[in-house]
Amino acid sequence: MNEAQTIEVEVRAIEQITPLIKHFTLAPAGGGSMPAFSGGSHIVVVMRGDARIHRNPYSLLSSPQDLSTYEIGVRRMEESRGGSHFMHDRVHVGDRLQIAHPVNLFALDKIARKHVLIAGGIGITPFMAQLEDLRAGSVPYELHYSVRAPEHAAFLPRLLERERANVRMYYDSAAQLIDFDGLLSNQPLGTHVYVCGPAGLIERVIKTARDCGWPDSHIHWEQFSAPPVGDAFDVFLARARVSVHVQPDQSLMESIEAAGVEVPYLCRGGVCGFCQTRVLELDGELIHNDHYLSDADKAKGTSIMPCVSRARCKSLVLDL
Ligand code: FES
C-alpha cells in the first residue's frame, strides 16, 4: 500500500452515537461509487496533522451492497497518539480525506455451517458489514454484543431494526456476562466463531473455543493494536542508507515514512504480516507488540513489525 493507491473521499456526515464513538460517512470526492468490499474489510485513513501524518485502520461498517458511501466508527482513545483525537476534533463535514483501498483480514468463512459473532464495544464495527452479507445468505448466524452500559451500545437501533432475532445484548452495568463455555460447547459441527473487541475478550474466546475442542481454523479474531509509546531510539535503514530517529510518541513505521522510505503495509495494527522487516544488527532489545510473529520468532530477534513494534537499543539496523 502506498500513497498512490489512496482514494480521495469527502466527509458526508458525522454523528456522535455514544459518549466515545463518532460515526463517519465518507463519499467518493469525484462522484461515482466506492470500490467493492466484503464484510470484515477495513480501510486505512490518512490524517495529515500539523506535525505528522497518522494512518489508522478502521473497519467498514456500511453494507457491502451499497457502494455509494463507506461508513466507519471511531472510538476516542484516551491513550491515543493523535489519530482518534484527530478524527474526533479536527475532521468536519465537507472535509476531504485520503483512504486506502479496503482489505479484508477478517472474512467470513465461505463453507461454515453456522457463524457465531462475538463483539465487545467498538468491536461491533466489522460485524455490521458482515451481518449485511449474512442476511443475504442462508447460513444461520447469531451475534453476541457486550458493552459497558446501554449508552455505549453503538449502532443498536440499526441492529434491532434489522437483526432483532439474531442479536443478544450483554450489559456490564447489569452484570450480564457472556457464558462463553455454554455458548461454545453447544454449537453444531462446522460452526465458525468470530471475535472482535478488547484483548481480554479475544483471549477468553480463543481459549474457551480451544478448550472446547474447536480447531484453530474455525476461530477468527481481529484486533488492531495501536502502536504504544516508548523510549526514543535511532535506526539505520541499510538499503536506503538513511538514519531515522523514532520519537517516543511516534511508531517506527511512521518515522521511516517521514524519512521518505516506504514500508509495505495492509493493517498497520500488527496483524497482517505485510510490514515484516529483517533486523540486520541490534545492540539492545526489540519490543514486539504484534500478533503476527510467533513467540519463537520474537525470541530470535531477527524480524520486526514496524507498524506496532519498537526497540530499546543503542543501535538497530534494518533491511530497508
Ligand atoms: S502492517 Fe500489518 S502487521 Fe504491520
Side-chain angles (χ1 to χ4, degrees):
M1 195 74 56
N2 59 41
E3 292 305 296
Q5 295 168 291
T6 56
I7 308 163
E8 189 172 41
V9 295
E10 182 182 309
V11 180
R12 274 290 163 75
I14 304 175
E15 192 187 354
Q16 182 89 43
I17 51 164
T18 77
L20 292 173
I21 297 174
K22 277 190 173 177
H23 174 202
F24 292 79
T25 304
L26 312 172
S33 299
M34 301 300 255
F37 70 99
S38 52
S41 299
H42 74 274
I43 54 171
V44 170
V45 179
V46 182
M47 295 163 248
R48 296 182 190 282
D50 300 330
R52 68 181 55 158
I53 300 175
H54 299 282
R55 294 176 180 84
N56 283 16
Y58 296 108
S59 296
L60 290 175
L61 63 93
S62 42
S63 168
Q65 282 102 55
D66 176 6
L67 299 176
S68 58
T69 57
Y70 283 168
E71 295 173 50
I72 57 173
V74 179
R75 184 186 193 280
R76 178 188 280 280
M77 310 299 280
E78 282 326 311
E79 298 292 304
S80 167
R81 297 165 318 107
S84 76
H85 288 193
F86 185 98
M87 289 299 289
H88 271 252
D89 302 334
R90 304 269 304 271
V91 175
H92 302 102
V93 172
D95 284 357
R96 301 251 167 138
L97 292 169
Q98 300 289 327
I99 64 168
H101 282 254
V103 171
N104 200 342
L105 301 172
F106 192 48
L108 292 166
D109 188 277
K110 289 200 166 42
I111 56 167
R113 308 275 291 274
K114 180 181 174 188
H115 303 279
V116 174
L117 317 179
I118 302 174
I122 188 68
I124 188 64
T125 52
F127 296 131
M128 297 299 293
Q130 288 183 339
L131 287 166
E132 299 286 336
D133 286 339
L134 290 171
R135 196 162 54 246
S138 56
V139 179
Y141 59 94
E142 58 194 50
L143 169 70
H144 300 262
Y145 182 16
S146 166
V147 293
R148 275 194 256 173
E151 66 271 26
H152 290 281
F155 308 109
L156 188 57
R158 190 186 288 195
L159 280 171
L160 293 181
E161 181 194 316
R162 300 178 187 177
E163 296 287 349
R164 186 175 289 275
N166 297 314
V167 176
R168 170 126 188 237
M169 293 302 302
Y170 303 81
Y171 298 111
D172 294 351
S173 57
Q176 296 166 339
L177 304 176
I178 300 176
D179 171 12
F180 295 104
D181 288 313
L183 180 64
L184 297 174
S185 61
N186 267 317
Q187 295 296 339
L189 213 60
T191 302
H192 283 238
V193 64
Y194 307 80
V195 56
C196 185
L201 174 73
I202 293 174
E203 283 160 21
R204 182 81 196 274
V205 170
I206 294 172
K207 181 173 183 322
T208 309
R210 284 179 180 153
D211 289 349
C212 292
W214 290 55
D216 277 357
S217 59
H218 288 40
I219 308 168
H220 310 266
W221 51 273
E222 182 165 76
Q223 182 190 21
F224 292 142
S225 299
V229 297
D231 296 337
F233 60 102
D234 293 299
V235 190
F236 184 69
L237 310 181
R239 278 187 276 143
R241 305 207 61 72
V242 171
S243 291
V244 174
H245 181 69
V246 185
Q247 303 278 2
D249 62 346
Q250 200 176 21
S251 76
L252 176 53
M253 182 176 271
E254 288 165 348
S255 316
I256 295 169
E257 288 169 340
V261 176
E262 275 188 10
V263 188
Y265 68 82
L266 286 182
C267 73
R268 301 181 78 94
V271 178
C272 72
F274 237 66
C275 68
Q276 183 169 357
T277 301
R278 257 191 338 134
V279 173
L280 301 178
E281 282 176 41
L282 171 69
D283 180 2
E285 59 167 336
L286 301 176
I287 302 167
H288 295 287
N289 297 308
D290 63 276
H291 307 287
Y292 184 79
L293 294 173
S294 65
D295 287 346
D297 284 340
K298 287 178 181 172
K300 271 194 234 154
T302 52
S303 280
I304 187 166
M305 317 304 288
C307 62
V308 290
S309 297
R310 47 197 306 126
R312 194 176 295 123
C313 62
K314 287 203 188 102
S315 79
L316 172 62
V317 181
L318 296 179
D319 184 21
L320 279 172

